[in-house]
Amino acid sequence: MARRRSIAFDALHAAVPAALFAGVAALSMLAVHPVYVGISLVGALSFSLLVRGAAATARGLVWQLPLLALVCVLNPLFSASGSTLLFKLGPRSVYLESLAYGATMGALMVTVVLWFEGAAAVLTQDRLLALAGRRARAVPLVASMTSQLVPQLLGRARTVRSALAACTAAGSRPSLRDELVRTSTMLLTWSLEDSVERADAMRARGWESGAPRTQYRPERLRARDVAALAGIAALLALCAACAWAVCESWRFYPRMEGLAPWWSYAPFALLAALPCLLAVGRGGIDECA
C-alpha cells in the first residue's frame, strides 16, 4: 500500500498552497537575478525532496540538469557579450557574463519546473476542482470532448476520402480543391448530425437544465485560512518590492555588478523556505494514501 507523507498543507484550504506556489513561481520567473534564482532553486529542490522523495526528484533531474547545462553552454555562443574573456572557441569569444546569464536562465527553468512538480504533489485534482467555480468546472468536460472529437473527425475524414477514391464509376478523379470541398461538406453534415444527438443526450442528463446544481465542498474556508492567505499576500508584496529594487540595480552586462545588501534577499528566502517549513512541521506523520 502506498504511503504519503502528511504535510501542513493538508490541514489548510487549497487556496493557501495555491496562492503560495503561484506567488513563489511568479517571483522566480520575474526576478532574473543569480541570488534570487539560487534561493528559489534551493527551496524548490528541498521541498521536492521532502514531499516527492529522492527517487522522484532524481528522475526529474535526469532531464532537467542536461537542459540547464545546454542553456548555460549555448548562451555564450549566441550572445557574445561581456567584459571578462574566458577563452576563444574559433571565431567566438566566451565571456564570463554570458556564461553566468545562461546558467541563471537554465537554473530558472529547472526551478520553475520543480515548483510546479511540488505544487502538483500538494494540489491534487480534487482540490483544484474545488477551487474552480461552476463555470470553470466545465473546462475538463470541454477538454475531454475535444480530445475525443478531434481524432474522431480525422478518422472520418480518412473514411470519406477512401470512399470517394473508391467511387471510380462517377468519372475521372476530381481535383484536389473539389475533393477538399466534398470532404469538408460531408464532415460538416456528419458533425451537425452528431451535435444534435450529443446535445439531446446531455440535456437528458440534466446538463444546463436551468436549475442550480448542488455541489459538495470537501473544504471550507476558515478563519485560519484567511489569516494564512493574508500573511502570504503581505509576504509576497514585500518580496516583490525587494525584488524590484534588487533587480533594478543588478546588471549582467557589460560587467556583473549591483549586489544588494543581504537583508534585501531575506524576505524571498523566507518565502522559498516556507513550503519546506510547513512540510517539516508535519513531517513525522505518515498516513496511508
Side-chain angles (χ1 to χ4, degrees):
M1 182 178 297
R3 298 179 66 86
R4 185 174 68 84
R5 182 181 295 274
S6 176
I7 60 177
F9 286 130
D10 297 336
L12 296 172
H13 193 271
V16 177
L20 177 58
F21 285 110
V24 70
L27 281 176
S28 300
M29 289 186 286
L30 296 176
V32 184
H33 190 283
V35 179
Y36 271 86
V37 173
I39 292 173
S40 185
L41 179 60
V42 172
L45 186 60
S46 302
F47 183 75
S48 180
L49 289 172
L50 286 174
V51 176
R52 300 174 61 233
T57 304
R59 285 194 298 268
L61 292 177
V62 167
W63 65 270
Q64 294 167 7
L65 291 181
L67 180 63
L68 187 156
L70 181 64
V71 175
C72 181
V73 171
L74 290 182
N75 185 70
L77 300 180
F78 289 97
S79 177
S81 302
S83 58
T84 306
L85 179 63
L86 295 179
F87 56 89
K88 284 185 172 290
L89 190 63
R92 294 286 182 178
S93 299
V94 178
Y95 293 93
L96 176 63
E97 290 77 11
S98 297
L99 197 65
Y101 184 81
T104 302
M105 295 305 297
L108 177 60
M109 295 174 62
V110 175
T111 299
V112 173
V113 172
L114 285 173
W115 278 126
F116 278 114
E117 289 177 345
V122 174
L123 295 169
T124 59
Q125 184 178 5
D126 295 338
R127 303 190 78 186
L128 288 176
L129 287 177
L131 283 175
R134 292 182 179 179
R135 294 295 179 184
R137 293 182 185 184
V139 174
L141 174 65
V142 175
S144 62
M145 291 181 65
T146 303
S147 62
Q148 176 186 3
L149 294 177
V150 170
Q152 183 186 72
L153 188 64
L154 295 176
R156 287 178 174 178
R158 290 190 294 268
T159 302
V160 171
R161 287 196 298 266
S162 300
L164 291 176
C167 295
T168 57
S172 60
R173 184 180 180 87
S175 62
L176 179 60
R177 185 174 68 88
D178 294 338
E179 184 179 357
L180 289 176
V181 170
R182 294 184 64 182
T183 302
S184 60
T185 302
M186 292 181 181
L187 286 178
L188 180 61
T189 305
W190 207 342
S191 300
L192 288 175
E193 181 184 357
D194 278 357
S195 65
V196 174
E197 295 178 358
R198 189 170 289 106
D200 290 339
M202 294 180 67
R203 192 177 298 110
R205 289 169 173 82
W207 187 264
E208 291 296 334
S209 60
R213 293 191 169 195
T214 59
Q215 57 181 348
Y216 171 69
R217 294 185 179 273
E219 299 178 350
R220 184 168 55 91
L221 193 65
R222 293 159 294 187
R224 65 177 183 180
D225 300 321
V226 175
L229 286 173
I232 291 174
L235 183 58
L236 286 173
L238 179 61
C239 291
C242 293
W244 178 272
V246 170
C247 293
E248 277 291 313
S249 62
W250 171 256
R251 295 290 183 272
F252 276 100
Y253 305 109
R255 180 175 299 170
M256 292 185 291
E257 58 184 3
L259 283 176
W262 65 269
W263 50 263
S264 301
Y265 311 102
F268 187 73
L270 176 60
L271 179 67
L274 189 57
C276 294
L277 295 176
L278 292 175
V280 172
R282 292 285 295 272
I285 303 175
D286 292 335
E287 62 182 8
C288 295

